[in-house]
């Protein structure tokens, strides 16, 4: 199998606070994980590529100081949204690469008030 | 410029009939293609993939066809079931899947009982 979990599934926070989202590959090791964001009725937009033991690679337009990514182990990558603002409210989804296929987590709904 | 296009935003099919979802791409360097199924507020679920060295891959009710000369792929679901109702995303990648996925905008499939 290839199961990926995310925690939390839903989070509501106040503007200015930081939120950490965890992505775990439960039954396989993933050297590479990806973080996506999905706006309502739109496709998934890649934010960054997370490689275990090295710095993440961010897509153009994604602020690396705002979206901190840490891939500290072969089964865990974290995305921290720092100083969150209402415009950061979105659905964040991670995926983990197993061989040539990406398996996705269930997503995290972030609402910043 | 969208590299992966799903030109039909929605499709309705009767239960038991065949569903055909289409996808076109512009980058001839893509060599690995995947189809994902997604429900609202959930992460995409991997369905089936195909490498560019093949023109067909079958898994149960799902078959993906690849026409490299036309830069076109399609997903066939037969027989269609009400539980297949979801948004289907086509995705493409380089380097045999080891690079970030480029997603189409999705096609919403409704299977009517």
């Amino acid at each position: 199998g290839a199961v990926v979990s995310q925690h939390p599934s839903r989070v509501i926070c106040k503007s200015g606070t930081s939120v950490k989202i965890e992505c775990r590959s439960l039954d396989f090791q993933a050297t590479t994980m990806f973080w996506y964001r999905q706006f309502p009725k739109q496709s998934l937009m890649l934010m960054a590529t997370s490689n275990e033991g090295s710095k993440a690679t961010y897509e153009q337009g994604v602020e690396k100081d705002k979206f901190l990514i840490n891939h500290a182990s072969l089964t865990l990558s974290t995305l921290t949204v720092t100083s969150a603002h209402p415009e950061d409210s979105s659905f964040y989804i991670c995926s983990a690469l197993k061989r040539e296929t990406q398996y996705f987590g269930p997503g995290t709904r972030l609402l910043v008030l | 410029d969208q590299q992966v296009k799903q030109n039909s935003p929605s499709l309705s099919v009767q239960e038991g009939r065949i569903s055909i979802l289409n996808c076109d791409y512009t980058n001839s360097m893509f060599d690995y293609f995947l189809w994902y199924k997604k429900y609202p507020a959930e992460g995409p679920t991997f369905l089936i993939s195909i490498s560019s060295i093949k023109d067909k891959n079958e898994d149960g009710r799902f078959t993906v066809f690849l026409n490299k000369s036309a830069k076109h792929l399609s997903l066939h679901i037969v027989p269609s079931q009400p539980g297949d109702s979801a948004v289907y995303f086509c995705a493409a990648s380089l380097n045999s899947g080891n690079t970030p996925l480029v997603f189409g905008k999705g096609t919403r499939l409704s299977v009517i009982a």
Side-chain angles (χ1 to χ4, degrees), chain B residues 34-76:
Chain B
L34 309 91
W35 284 94
Y36 289 87
K37 174 181 178 181
K38 187 179 183 302
Y39 296 110
E42 292 186 13
T45 300
F46 169 71
L47 282 176
I48 192 168
S49 61
I50 188 166
S51 164
S52 60
I53 62 173
K54 295 185 176 182
D55 54 19
K56 177 183 175 181
N57 188 25
E58 191 172 351
D59 184 1
R61 297 187 298 116
F62 302 94
T63 303
V64 55
F65 294 92
L66 176 62
N67 182 334
K68 288 189 290 294
S69 61
K71 296 193 185 72
H72 177 84
L73 65 156
S74 60
L75 174 68
H76 293 210

Side-chain angles (χ1 to χ4, degrees), chain A residues 34 36 38 43-44 46 49 91 93 97 99-107, chain B residues 32 34 36 38 41-44 46 89 96-101 103-105:
Chain A
F34 302 91
Y36 294 83
Q38 186 181 27
S43 186
L44 283 77
L46 178 69
T49 302
F91 191 56
I93 310 174
L97 189 64
R99 297 194 193 97
E100 62 278 335
T101 299
Q102 287 186 36
Y103 294 90
F104 286 82
Chain B
Y32 195 68
L34 309 91
Y36 289 87
K38 187 179 183 302
E42 292 186 13
F46 169 71
F89 287 97
S96 301
N98 291 305
T99 57
L101 295 174
F103 283 89
K105 290 191 173 182

Side-chain angles (χ1 to χ4, degrees), chain A residues 62-76:
Chain A
V62 178
E63 299 175 57
K64 62 180 181 181
D65 295 329
K66 180 164 185 65
F67 298 99
L68 299 178
I69 291 172
N70 185 358
H71 193 157
S73 78
L74 288 172
T75 58
L76 173 64

Side-chain angles (χ1 to χ4, degrees), chain A residues 22-91:
Chain A
E22 294 185 348
C23 177
R24 294 181 186 272
S25 55
L26 298 184
D27 53 357
F28 66 101
Q29 293 184 326
T31 305
T32 304
M33 293 184 174
F34 302 91
W35 286 95
Y36 294 83
R37 185 173 177 177
Q38 186 181 27
F39 293 99
K41 298 186 179 180
Q42 293 192 25
S43 186
L44 283 77
M45 298 300 296
L46 178 69
M47 297 175 67
T49 302
S50 167
N51 291 297
E52 188 268 337
S54 63
K55 289 184 179 179
T57 303
Y58 290 81
E59 295 300 296
Q60 193 172 11
V62 178
E63 299 175 57
K64 62 180 181 181
D65 295 329
K66 180 164 185 65
F67 298 99
L68 299 178
I69 291 172
N70 185 358
H71 193 157
S73 78
L74 288 172
T75 58
L76 173 64
S77 176
T78 60
L79 168 68
T80 301
V81 183
T82 62
S83 187
H85 290 287
E87 57 265 31
D88 299 324
S89 299
S90 192
F91 191 56

Side-chain angles (χ1 to χ4, degrees), chain B:
Chain B
D1 179 38
Q2 219 183 338
Q3 296 187 69
V4 177
K5 299 177 185 178
Q6 292 177 256
N7 292 319
S8 298
S10 63
L11 174 69
S12 289
V13 172
Q14 270 202 313
E15 180 179 9
R17 298 286 185 104
I18 184 171
S19 295
I20 300 177
L21 298 112
N22 293 303
C23 178
D24 297 293
Y25 60 96
T26 57
N27 188 346
S28 58
M29 299 301 291
F30 286 139
D31 60 2
Y32 195 68
F33 304 89
L34 309 91
W35 284 94
Y36 289 87
K37 174 181 178 181
K38 187 179 183 302
Y39 296 110
E42 292 186 13
T45 300
F46 169 71
L47 282 176
I48 192 168
S49 61
I50 188 166
S51 164
S52 60
I53 62 173
K54 295 185 176 182
D55 54 19
K56 177 183 175 181
N57 188 25
E58 191 172 351
D59 184 1
R61 297 187 298 116
F62 302 94
T63 303
V64 55
F65 294 92
L66 176 62
N67 182 334
K68 288 189 290 294
S69 61
K71 296 193 185 72
H72 177 84
L73 65 156
S74 60
L75 174 68
H76 293 210
I77 306 173
V78 56
S80 301
Q81 300 172 354
D84 296 329
S85 297
V87 177
Y88 288 77
F89 287 97
C90 167
S93 74
L94 306 168
N95 194 21
S96 301
N98 291 305
T99 57
L101 295 174
V102 179
F103 283 89
K105 290 191 173 182
T107 296
R108 180 175 301 279
L109 173 66
S110 300
V111 180
I112 305 161

